[in-house]
Amino acid sequence: MSDTRTRIAAGLERAFAEHGFAAPSVGDLRDAAGVSLRTLYKYAPSREEMVHAALEHRHQRYLEKVFGDLPEAGDDALAEIFDRIGAWMGTESARGCLFHAAVAAAPQDKRLIALLQEHKGEVAQLAAKSGGLEGREVELMLILEGLTQTWPLHGSHAIASANRMSTALRQAPLPPTLSAA
């Protein structure tokens, strides 16, 4: 991604995270991106493209922050993932998941729905691989989503609960449909 495209996407991400998807005017988005209106429209020719650019940028930042330089696979890796998600929530996402908020603002946008599915699916796959729980992606997605939804209300208690749930998941046998695969 070019420096200009990255700067625009980062500014758009910040604007949407701080003000939601309906409130910022195009002028506000231009100011947040730190470019002229012409340059903004060159890289993101519509509001929908601006939202998509912001979410794609957020996806990459999230993956780097949560999954970069993890300890060896297993309980330690999952505990670190949960801690990092808590830190992310505290600094980047105190109002909840930006992907869910985008879909809530435009529930008919199939591309946004696909971005949400791709983001959540990749996060669950990386968590399963890092935690040595391949085949348990759906269960991990439930734990991860529960963590991001309860963190604003319970903070570190939500992280501790996610750790307990992942320990129980590790000890539970695979359901027959998954263990046969």
Side-chain angles (χ1 to χ4, degrees):
M1 197 182 277
S2 74
D3 288 343
T4 302
R5 185 177 310 275
T6 301
R7 187 172 79 244
I8 291 169
L12 293 171
E13 178 197 354
R14 276 190 311 277
F16 290 129
E18 289 174 20
H19 305 291
F21 291 95
S25 68
V26 173
D28 295 334
L29 296 172
R30 176 204 61 221
D31 292 346
V35 296
S36 69
L37 192 57
R38 181 180 181 143
T39 300
L40 176 61
Y41 277 122
K42 175 183 175 186
Y43 286 93
S46 68
R47 189 177 191 87
E48 290 79 17
E49 290 299 320
M50 292 176 199
V51 170
H52 296 159
L55 290 176
E56 289 166 1
H57 184 262
R58 188 163 187 99
H59 174 71
Q60 291 306 317
R61 282 192 335 103
Y62 186 83
L63 293 182
E64 290 170 13
K65 176 91 172 186
V66 173
F67 296 101
D69 275 339
L70 283 173
E72 296 279 327
D75 287 335
D76 290 344
L78 276 178
E80 181 66 21
I81 290 168
F82 299 149
D83 286 342
R84 290 178 184 187
I85 290 172
W88 174 273
M89 296 299 295
T91 60
E92 304 282 339
S93 202
R95 287 180 235 140
C97 175
L98 196 61
F99 287 85
H100 282 295
V103 171
Q108 303 304 318
D109 187 329
K110 293 186 185 324
R111 188 168 164 210
L112 278 181
I113 293 166
L115 281 173
L116 170 67
Q117 291 171 330
E118 290 169 19
H119 171 69
K120 298 300 182 175
E122 189 170 351
V123 167
Q125 287 176 340
L126 289 169
K129 182 177 180 186
S130 299
L133 289 168
E134 290 89 342
R136 303 313 279 272
E137 287 82 1
V138 173
E139 292 95 332
L140 277 170
M141 187 181 291
L142 285 168
I143 293 169
L144 295 166
E145 287 299 293
L147 174 57
T148 60
Q149 292 302 309
T150 58
W151 189 92
L153 300 171
H154 301 287
S156 62
H157 296 295
I159 295 169
S161 293
N163 278 305
R164 285 191 302 275
M165 292 173 76
S166 70
T167 299
L169 178 61
R170 187 175 303 286
Q171 296 167 355
L174 283 171
T177 58
L178 293 177
S179 59

